């Protein structure tokens, strides 16, 4: 029984199986016929259409560069913008003899060899069928000249482009920076698709620090072109997205006042709004016009800038390092109070020099005959060196280092610019590592008056001053307050919220001394007090460039480059601080006479809105 | 032994025939496969811009693949049946291993680095899945109860989902279709098939409404490549230009401009059919399709002649899988199917799929040449 069942099952199974094979065969045949039908459609019906597409070829996808974001100051004045201009561009693939073409263009438009060399460099970073710029921003005359000769230059054409322009030129070059042609090295680090249609990128300043935000997003077009590469039909287009517009914290009125006040000197001025960390003025003097850099500065002009004795391209505010001199004294004084090694009222006697026990060497005071009995307030007001020699020695280098470090001496401030210098705040460890020597008492003593190894940048000084004025709430200077993207807005960097623990009484004592620097008869910058309704707290500083030998007195007619650097730190109004300003004037002589009036002009203009003429110029 | 010996006498008398019988090779299949491989060299020479090292590497792969095929042809189907469960389990384990520790290769986890060589478990599973399902259905002949049916589907879905997760959509489709083919050949009722098809079709709108917008966009792009001209759509646009410009007779060997000028991407691998169509035209394409059809029908013939349930199901499934391979690749190149990464079998440059394909032909040859003679 069961065996017949099995046989019948097998027969059924076989029958079903053969049926399935037939079904698959039919399916295969039908589907393959489908493929054939489609091939017939493409290769017979559509043949002509596709043959034309293949011959004319082809579909070219080209990038549309985004518009670079505009940069404004805090009052909405344009600091960096894009101006429509004409460029002369070459598509190497379409030029038979490139060198010949370049040579003829050189004759026609009177081009320098620099321009041709730059083009040869740029050519390497583009594909053969890309358009490579030879000249950016043609003059009208050049446009006219080329337009006439255009038929003789196949593959060369004039394009409308946007060129970066800095309306304030010399005033902003050390803050806003500038853009320049992208070189091969930079190209490696940039996203290729985003930059394939872009000629520029930020080289320094805000333009570099915020390159990613300013650049925007590239769009593209998909274009059908003929064999000569001329576009016939736009198949698809995706619009680029413009870069973010940046609002800076900078106030161009203050910036100009600050810049003008440094006239005749090499130096730097940094002004910070205390509560926000907003940088109001950021000046390095002298400066240079950033606009020639946009389209490639000529090597002659570049060399002139580089060889200039005043180093206009050197960003002193950000990268210049100077001994802080006496401007460090309020901080050292505060360190003494906080560490309880002094009290505000206790006086010491200043004979005009300081000596270590059993050592003949005398550490001089700037006042040859001394200041007599001096307490902390007097010491700050009159900038008594002996008081701080003694205090530094009592404190010791380690405590002094640790306290000053909290104010950011010898540290990057974190300002939103690239290339900031660290500087030096010496300690025993530092000397061992950097100088391979051990720390001696003399090192401690001169560190107490901001000489010796200490090196700070003007922006560091400004930050420390602002932090002191902010009663220990650490201020980080920032330049960008807002980024306006196409679809949304972002705020600039925010304050860290760090606080240095300080006694209110100690702060008051130190600030009282700083107020007396300006508002007392014996203050080192007492001229500033004339004609102002508010109180300024400040401290002058004079940093030695040239060390005066023992038993030698300072020669007033010393070579200009060896004269002392003049420094001044300040904030105002003293009872409700709003602005902090630090000034460094190279070889400026005395801080009180040279540097302090510069800061005062900026402070007065910020607080009263009056232009500098209203400020009484001392002496 | 005795029976086998007699069948040899029964089927082939010529010397060559006897030699091939000894080698367990199927002559017609071997000839068709050889012709396709020959075409592969011809078109690869052109598609690779006449790069000899490319051809040498391809030759080495084909050599390896034929060796593998011959080796498998010697393995008795009975042995294959015995090892089905073990090989399948091993395959699944390796797939899990790939997901767990696999090296990221080309953005997807497909490789397992064994130190001396890199191994792609999804290739192995292409064969072991139909083996496993065939084994299961040979043990449990139709009609199946629901539980058995569910187990059979689970056997197919497990490797499919593991591969889809890698993600390798092309291979997942091939594995799933090979597995389902076994069910179909085993006699899954037409009623069940049509109900399933209707259910899936009915669920589509529901599924669609549950999807996020971006998922829908993705599906739409898949079916309308022109909507993504910078990505895969660009391939299809260029591929269609290549094929269409070929016309009836083509631009002649080495005459492809689309591939030469780099307008057609992946011209040596997944899109090689477009180069073939551009150079040899519709006439060439028909010739190639006929060759493929000959292979498929020879495989189906072997399937029909197979003598035990396991051999039948496995042979049928492997034949159908080969067809799916051809159809999916050409369908995608000519722009009627979404672009998934499936090479043109036996012609595209690349070694991994070549070996698997030849292995499946080895199994088919083994089934054909290990038949016992049954008198009618």
């Amino acid at each position: 029984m069961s065996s017949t069942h099995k046989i019948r099952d097998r027969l059924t199974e076989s029958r079903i199986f053969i049926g399935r094979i037939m079904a698959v065969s039919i399916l295969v045949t039908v589907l393959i016929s489908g493929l054939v039908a489609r091939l017939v459609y493409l290769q017979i019906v559509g043949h002509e259409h596709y043959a034309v597409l293949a011959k004319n070829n082809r579909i070219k996808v080209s990038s549309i560069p985004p518009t670079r974001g505009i940069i404004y100051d805090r009052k909405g004045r344009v600091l960096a913008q894009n101006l429509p201009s004409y460029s002369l561009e070459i598509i190497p693939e379409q030029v038979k003899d490139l060198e010949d073409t370049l040579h003829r263009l050189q004759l026609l438009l009177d081009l320098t060899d620099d321009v041709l060399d730059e083009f040869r460099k740029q050519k390497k970073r583009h594909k053969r069928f890309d358009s490579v710029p030879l000249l950016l921003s043609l003059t009208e005359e050049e446009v006219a000249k080329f337009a006439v000769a255009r038929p003789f230059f196949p593959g060369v054409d004039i394009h409308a482009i946007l060129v970066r322009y800095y309306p304030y030129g010399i005033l902003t070059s050390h803050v806003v920076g500038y853009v320049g042609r992208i070189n091969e090295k930079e190209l490696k680090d940039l996203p290729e698709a985003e930059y394939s249609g872009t000629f520029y990128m930020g080289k320094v300043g805000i333009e570099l620090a915020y390159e990613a935000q300013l650049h925007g997003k590239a769009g593209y077009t998909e274009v059908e072109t003929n064999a000569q590469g001329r576009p016939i039909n736009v198949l698809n287009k995706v619009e680029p997205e413009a870069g973010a517009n940046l609002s800076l914290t900078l106030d161009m009125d203050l910036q100009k006042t600050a810049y003008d006040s440094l006239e005749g000197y090499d130096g730097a001025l940094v002004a910070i709004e205390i509560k926000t960390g907003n940088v109001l003025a950021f000046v390095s003097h002298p400066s240079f016009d950033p606009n020639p850099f946009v389209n490639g500065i000529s090597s002659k002009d570049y060399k002139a800038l580089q060889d200039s004795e005043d180093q206009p391209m050197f960003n002193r505010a950000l990268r210049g390092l100077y001994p802080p001199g006496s401007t460090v004294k309020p901080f050292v004084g505060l360190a003494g109070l906080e560490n309880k090694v002094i009290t505000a009222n206790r006086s010491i006697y200043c004979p005009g020099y300081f000596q270590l026990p059993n050592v003949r060497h005398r550490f001089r005071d700037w006042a040859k005959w001394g200041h007599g009995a001096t307490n902390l307030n007097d010491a700050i007001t009159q900038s008594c060196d002996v008081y701080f020699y003694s205090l530094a020695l009592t404190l010791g280098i380690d405590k002094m280092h640790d306290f000053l470090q909290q104010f950011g001496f010898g540290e990057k401030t974190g300002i939103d610019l690239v290339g900031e210098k660290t500087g030096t705040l010496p300690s025993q460890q530092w000397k061992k590592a950097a100088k391979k020597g051990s720390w001696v008492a003399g090192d401690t003593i001169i560190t107490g008056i901001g000489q010796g190894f200490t090196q700070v940048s003007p922006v560091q000084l400004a930050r420390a001053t602002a932090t002191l004025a902010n009663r220990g709430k650490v201020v980080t200077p920032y330049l960008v307050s807002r980024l306006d993207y196409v679809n949304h807005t972002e705020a600039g960097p925010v304050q860290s919220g760090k606080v240095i623990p300080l006694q209110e009484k100690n702060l008051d004592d130190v600030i009282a001394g700083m107020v007396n620097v300006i508002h007392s008869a014996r203050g080192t910058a007492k001229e500033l007090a004339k004609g102002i309704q508010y109180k300024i707290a400040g401290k002058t500083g004079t940093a030695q460039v040239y060390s005066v030998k023992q038993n030698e007195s300072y020669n007033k007619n010393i070579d200009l480059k060896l004269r002392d650097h003049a420094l001044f730190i300040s904030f105002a109004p003293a009872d409700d601080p709003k602005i902090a300003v630090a000034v460094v004037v190279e070889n400026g002589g005395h801080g009180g006479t040279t540097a302090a009036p510069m800061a005062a002009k900026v402070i007065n203009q910020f607080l009263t809105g009056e232009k500098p003429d209203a400020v009484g110029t001392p002496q | 032994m005795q029976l086998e010996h007699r069948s040899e006498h029964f089927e082939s008398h010529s010397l060559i025939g006897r030699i091939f019988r000894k080698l367990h090779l199927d002559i017609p299949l071997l000839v068709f496969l050889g012709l396709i491989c020959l075409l592969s060299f011809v078109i690869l020479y052109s598609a690779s811009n006449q790069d000899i090292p490319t051809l040498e590497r391809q030759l080495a792969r084909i050599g390896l693949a034929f060796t593998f095929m011959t080796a498998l042809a010697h393995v008795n189907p009975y042995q294959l049946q015995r090892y089905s469960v073990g090989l399948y389990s091993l395959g699944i384990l390796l797939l899990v291993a790939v997901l767990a520790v696999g090296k990221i290769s080309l953005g997807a986890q497909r490789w397992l680095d064994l130190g001396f060589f890199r191994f792609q478990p999804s290739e192995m599973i292409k064969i072991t899945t139909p083996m496993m399902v065939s084994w299961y259905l040979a043990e449990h002949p139709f009609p199946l109860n629901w539980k058995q049916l569910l187990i059979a589907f689970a056997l197919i879905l497990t490797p499919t989902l593991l591969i889809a997760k890698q993600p390798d959509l092309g291979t997942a489709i091939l594995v799933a279709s090979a597995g389902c083919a076994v069910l179909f050949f085993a006699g899954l009722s037409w009623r069940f098939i049509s109900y399933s098809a209707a259910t899936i079709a009915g669920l589509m709108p529901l599924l669609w409404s549950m999807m996020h917008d971006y998922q829908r966009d993705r599906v739409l792009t898949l079916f309308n490549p022109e909507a993504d001209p910078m990505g895969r759509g660009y391939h299809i646009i260029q591929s269609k230009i290549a094929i269409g410009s070929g016309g009836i007779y083509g631009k002649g060997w080495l005459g492809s401009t689309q591939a030469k000028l780099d307008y057609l991407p992946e011209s040596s691998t997944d899109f090689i059919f477009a180069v073939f169509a551009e150079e040899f035209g519709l006439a060439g394409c028909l010739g190639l399709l006929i060759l493929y059809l000959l292979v498929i029908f020879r495989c189906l013939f072997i399937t029909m002649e197979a003598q035990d349930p396991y051999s039948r199901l496995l042979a049928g499934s492997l034949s159908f899988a080969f067809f799916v391979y051809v159809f999916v690749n050409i369908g995608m190149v000519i722009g009627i199917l979404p672009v998934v990464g499936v090479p043109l079998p036996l012609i595209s440059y690349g070694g991994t799929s070549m070996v698997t394909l030849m292995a499946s032909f080895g199994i088919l040859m083994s089934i054909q040449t290990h038949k016992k003679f049954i008198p009618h």
Side-chain angles (χ1 to χ4, degrees), chain A residues 75 77 251-261 280 532 534 536 579 581 597-615:
Chain A
K75 290 175 180 162
R77 285 168 289 207
D251 182 332
M252 279 318 291
D253 292 328
L254 291 180
Q255 180 82 357
K256 184 170 176 0
T257 300
Y259 189 84
D260 290 347
S261 72
L280 298 166
I532 57 170
Y534 50 88
I536 301 177
I579 180 173
V581 180
M598 298 175 183
K601 282 182 194 169
V602 173
I603 289 173
N604 195 58
Q605 187 175 330
F606 181 72
L607 293 178
T608 65
E610 289 167 38
K611 291 282 159 82
D613 297 341
V615 183

Side-chain angles (χ1 to χ4, degrees), chain A residues 146-179:
Chain A
F146 180 76
V148 175
R150 187 166 172 263
F152 304 106
F153 292 97
V156 185
D157 221 337
I158 290 178
H159 293 255
I161 57 160
L162 290 173
V163 168
R164 200 70 160 167
Y165 178 66
Y166 304 99
Y168 288 92
I170 210 161
L171 285 182
T172 58
S173 45
H174 285 303
V175 199
V176 174
Y178 54 83
V179 298

Side-chain angles (χ1 to χ4, degrees), chain B residues 215-264:
Chain B
Q215 285 173 322
R216 278 183 216 163
D217 281 347
R218 226 178 263 178
V219 174
L220 285 177
T221 316
L222 221 64
F223 287 96
N224 178 23
E226 276 86 351
D228 177 25
M230 291 296 274
R232 282 170 164 172
Y234 179 76
H235 294 198
I236 292 301
I237 294 166
Q238 296 300 345
S239 163
K240 284 202 305 201
I241 292 175
I243 296 166
S245 66
I248 299 178
Y249 301 109
K251 295 173 182 171
W253 188 43
L254 306 180
S256 160
T257 55
Q258 283 291 102
K260 294 274 149 57
L261 299 175
D262 282 340
Y263 286 103
L264 181 67

Side-chain angles (χ1 to χ4, degrees), chain A residues 271-288:
Chain A
I272 299 176
E273 190 179 46
I274 288 157
K275 291 284 176 288
T276 57
N278 287 345
V279 177
L280 298 166
F282 191 94
V283 168
S284 175
H285 193 279
S287 184
F288 59 97

Side-chain angles (χ1 to χ4, degrees), chain A residues 63-71 82 125 162 164 179-180 182 187 189-203 206-219 239-246 483-486:
Chain A
S63 170
I64 313 173
T67 309
R68 198 174 175 84
I70 295 164
I71 303 175
N82 308 304
R125 57 163 282 235
L162 290 173
R164 200 70 160 167
V179 298
I182 301 169
L187 192 69
D189 300 329
L190 295 172
E192 199 192 332
E194 284 298 326
Y195 280 84
S196 64
T198 303
F199 305 140
Y200 306 113
M201 71 168 288
K203 297 282 178 167
I206 290 290
E207 291 274 31
L208 174 62
Y210 286 87
E211 171 63 28
Q213 291 83 352
L214 285 164
H215 179 69
K217 268 200 192 114
E239 293 293 343
E241 194 184 307
N245 293 337
L246 303 189
L483 301 95
D484 289 301
Y485 290 89
V486 177

